[in-house]
Amino acid sequence: MTGRRQEGSDYRNYERTKMQKEMILEKLKERGCRITKQRLILIDIILENECSSCKEIFYKASKVDAKIGTATVYRMVNILEEIGAISRKNMYRVAYSESCPMENACTVILDDQTTYHLSAKKWNQIVRTGLNACGYLNEQKVVSISVKPCECEKLVNEV
């Protein structure tokens, strides 16, 4: 039963991604953009992966086609942002484990401009403590956290 459910979910994701790709291609054609092999590769990578930066997109794309350069990736991301297919503001994904030795993995700035630079270990500890305090976490481990910017910033700045 689980296998069938998984297959159905995979098929729905495939269909959704296929529809998104078709819409993006249509908007690119409307703008007069040629649909090149490299553009198709970049669109597939962006739709099928949770890339958090142009550098990550480039890394994945260069494995598929070594001729794709960083400038091509940045131009494509800019075009996709212009047509509303993606938002670079939302291209953040935090994925640090408890054992990650990375320093300055997270920077927190308070409204009085106090700034804290947290190591990956400290960031994970803070998130776990908060999730425990709210009753969301039992014995699980945090694998990743996606952070989107607040849409209400405009309202706060206008007041």
Side-chain angles (χ1 to χ4, degrees):
M1 188 82 164
T2 306
R4 286 186 185 166
R5 209 176 292 150
Q6 179 65 30
E7 287 174 12
S9 174
D10 289 345
Y11 179 74
R12 282 190 297 278
N13 288 339
Y14 168 78
E15 283 297 313
R16 183 175 44 83
T17 301
K18 185 177 169 188
M19 286 175 32
Q20 289 172 326
K21 183 176 180 178
E22 289 170 3
M23 289 171 42
I24 290 169
L25 292 174
E26 188 60 37
K27 286 184 178 186
L28 289 174
K29 288 176 188 174
E30 287 172 9
R31 278 189 106 221
C33 295
R34 289 183 310 126
I35 307 303
T36 64
K37 178 185 167 198
Q38 290 182 337
R39 285 185 173 157
L40 290 171
I41 289 169
L42 292 172
I43 291 168
D44 286 339
I45 288 169
I46 291 167
L47 288 174
E48 294 169 8
N49 299 278
E50 287 187 29
C51 296
S52 59
S53 67
C54 290
K55 186 187 245 183
E56 190 175 347
I57 295 167
F58 168 73
Y59 178 73
K60 290 178 186 292
S62 65
K63 286 183 175 180
V64 177
D65 182 351
K67 295 178 185 175
I68 295 177
T70 55
T72 303
V73 174
Y74 279 94
R75 280 193 301 268
M76 187 62 184
V77 167
N78 284 335
I79 291 170
L80 292 174
E81 193 170 32
E82 287 171 12
I83 66 172
I86 64 170
S87 171
R88 259 191 278 197
K89 288 182 190 175
N90 295 333
M91 291 178 73
Y92 296 100
R93 192 178 83 247
V94 182
Y96 298 114
S97 71
E98 295 172 39
S99 59
C100 179
M102 182 183 213
E103 292 297 321
N104 296 328
C106 175
T107 300
V108 177
I109 303 171
L110 305 179
D111 62 355
D112 67 354
Q113 299 310 304
T114 302
T115 304
Y116 297 100
H117 299 284
L118 306 173
S119 68
K121 186 174 182 176
K122 187 67 173 175
W123 166 248
N124 193 287
Q125 178 187 1
I126 290 169
V127 170
R128 286 187 58 77
T129 301
L131 290 171
N132 275 325
C134 292
Y136 295 124
L137 201 60
N138 294 320
E139 298 298 319
Q140 306 99 320
K141 294 189 186 256
V142 176
V143 176
S144 72
I145 301 168
S146 297
V147 180
K148 293 183 180 181
C150 179
E151 296 290 326
C152 61
E153 284 179 359
K154 295 175 192 169
L155 296 173
V156 173
N157 293 331
E158 291 174 2
V159 175

